[in-house]
Amino acid sequence: MPPVLTDCGITPDELPDGLVVADEHGLVRCFNAAAARITALDPADVLGRPIEQALPLEDLDGRRWWQLTDPYQGLATRTGQPERNLLLPGGREVLVCARYVRDHPTGPVRRLVVALRGTEARRRTERSHAELIATVAHELRSPLISVKGFTATLLAKWERFTEDQKKLMLETVHADAGRVTRLIAELLDISRIDSGRLEVRRQPVDIAAAVRRHVEALVAAGQPADRFAVRVAGALPSLWADPDKVDQILGNLLENAVRHGEGTVTIDVAPSSSPRERGWSGTAVTVSDEGPGIPEESMNRVFTRFWRGSKRGGTGLGLYIVKGIVEAHGGTITVGRAPGKGAQFRFILPVGAPAFTA
């Protein structure tokens, strides 16, 4: 039976990270299941062997790590090694950190404790960051080139243009500057969502009025009024939410329905309750269109970064941000098929005043 690590009854095989422990002679005495999985080594081939032979690690320059660090004969003031990328024979990458356990600060090493982690999760994060940077660079390039070109032209040839031409170019510059501002706002939202620092400033929100306001803005921008149907089911409970972020949710979902959907865009606003939580109540908003809908195989990717329903532009970040905002309110959001076979997005925000107002 594996040794118990603490009075809590935890054994090494229950740890999520790889654990390797060597005694004062450098012989491996513990090699848990996660270490075996991460390194693809058999514990039977490791236990009882010198750690430098059982776990022959090298740095990225091909130098043997145990000779470099020399935990048993090196500086007596060292307490361990920070996490770093190392290689096993065959090029298998692992993240390794070590702790030197001594009876007193400058005494001999009594135990060498090594933690191992796989690199897959970190590589996924790095790829995601690289994709985000590439997307942002691409999206920023076009409006900034436009702004630079129009302003340079106006500065060089101001007198040659009519007032109407000047106004058209300045309106284009204004619109492109707005695109840059929105993209920067999206990046800030993503940063706050990923770090769990998205602030929600709650106050009373009339969600039905907010829906109608967004529909009126779309109609004023040129959409036909009969393309939208707003249905409010009876009296709605009091909703406390961040009005700016509710506007962000509605704006994204409605623009998404207009851009990618077809036919009538129907917005249903109604009270809602959770079948799993007694006493939980909320306000549900459902946005449906009559377009081709979202393929079944894409349903589970809709709220991930960079997902695009089509190739008609956009950063692919909007629905990821919408989900983060809804969840920051304690709500839920789902995607499915509308009765007319189009896409249907439904989010529910919990209602009720915050405790400090009670």
Side-chain angles (χ1 to χ4, degrees):
M1 180 174 178
V4 175
L5 294 182
T6 71
D7 293 338
C8 298
I10 298 174
T11 62
D13 286 347
E14 294 173 332
L15 297 174
D17 292 336
L19 175 67
V20 183
V21 181
D23 62 16
E24 66 269 22
H25 304 296
L27 302 179
V28 177
R29 298 304 180 190
C30 176
F31 192 80
N32 73 346
R37 172 178 51 80
I38 292 167
T39 62
L41 296 173
D42 187 341
D45 297 332
V46 175
L47 291 171
R49 295 181 62 196
I51 192 166
E52 67 271 14
Q53 297 176 17
L55 202 64
L57 296 166
E58 295 182 352
D59 67 12
L60 300 183
D61 295 323
R63 297 173 296 182
R64 294 183 178 181
W65 193 59
W66 297 116
Q67 291 182 4
L68 287 174
T69 57
D70 195 11
Y72 291 95
Q73 302 300 323
L75 290 175
T77 55
R78 287 181 180 167
T79 59
Q81 295 292 331
E83 185 178 74
R84 63 190 64 197
N85 239 13
L86 297 175
L87 301 174
L88 284 165
R92 190 182 187 91
E93 289 189 32
V94 288
L95 295 168
V96 181
C97 64
R99 173 76 183 273
Y100 305 159
V101 180
R102 308 174 191 271
D103 290 338
H104 51 86
T106 58
V109 173
R110 294 302 181 190
R111 278 192 309 280
L112 174 63
V113 181
V114 180
L116 306 175
R117 290 182 179 177
T119 60
E120 293 81 5
R122 179 168 292 188
R123 288 194 177 280
R124 284 195 298 269
T125 301
E126 290 172 353
R127 282 196 299 270
S128 179
H129 289 165
E131 289 174 0
L132 182 60
I133 291 170
T135 299
V136 170
H138 175 76
E139 294 293 329
L140 283 175
R141 185 181 296 114
S142 176
L144 288 178
I145 289 174
S146 172
V147 168
K148 184 175 177 59
F150 277 118
T151 52
T153 302
L154 285 169
L155 288 170
K157 303 177 181 180
W158 179 266
E159 296 82 5
R160 300 185 187 181
F161 296 111
T162 66
E163 292 301 316
D164 287 342
Q165 289 173 326
K166 293 174 183 176
K167 181 180 179 182
L168 177 61
M169 284 190 279
L170 288 173
E171 286 174 345
T172 304
V173 168
H174 179 74
D176 286 332
R179 285 176 59 191
V180 173
T181 301
R182 286 192 298 274
L183 182 58
I184 292 172
E186 285 185 346
L187 293 176
L188 290 173
D189 284 337
I190 287 174
S191 173
R192 294 179 183 122
I193 289 168
D194 288 347
S195 62
R197 295 184 293 107
L198 186 67
E199 292 186 5
V200 175
R201 304 180 186 277
R202 297 180 187 271
Q203 54 187 284
V205 173
D206 186 339
I207 189 75
V211 168
R212 294 190 181 99
R213 187 172 63 250
H214 278 271
V215 169
E216 289 169 0
L218 288 168
V219 171
Q223 292 294 326
D226 59 2
R227 189 175 181 188
F228 301 96
V230 178
R231 302 186 299 205
V232 180
L236 300 174
S238 299
L239 173 64
W240 283 71
D242 188 318
D244 292 335
K245 294 193 167 39
V246 168
D247 279 339
Q248 200 171 347
I249 296 168
L250 292 173
N252 195 294
L253 293 182
L254 288 174
E255 288 176 14
N256 189 71
V258 168
R259 181 183 302 163
H260 301 292
E262 298 172 3
T264 301
V265 176
T266 303
I267 307 100
D268 291 292
V269 185
S272 178
S273 59
S274 171
R276 296 188 300 271
E277 299 182 41
R278 182 175 297 177
W280 190 97
S281 61
T283 296
V285 179
T286 306
V287 179
S288 310
D289 64 66
E290 298 174 340
I294 299 169
E296 196 70 32
E297 62 273 14
S298 298
M299 289 286 188
N300 61 346
R301 296 188 293 109
V302 167
F303 297 110
T304 59
R305 289 184 186 182
F306 312 119
W307 183 84
R308 293 178 176 88
S310 71
K311 296 183 179 179
R312 284 179 275 178
T315 61
L317 300 174
L319 291 175
Y320 176 81
I321 293 171
V322 164
K323 183 175 186 286
I325 293 173
V326 170
E327 291 180 347
H329 280 82
T332 60
I333 185 167
T334 56
V335 61
R337 286 198 175 278
K341 304 300 183 184
Q344 182 179 85
F345 289 88
R346 174 183 171 86
F347 70 91
I348 304 175
L349 299 179
V351 301
F356 65 81
T357 66

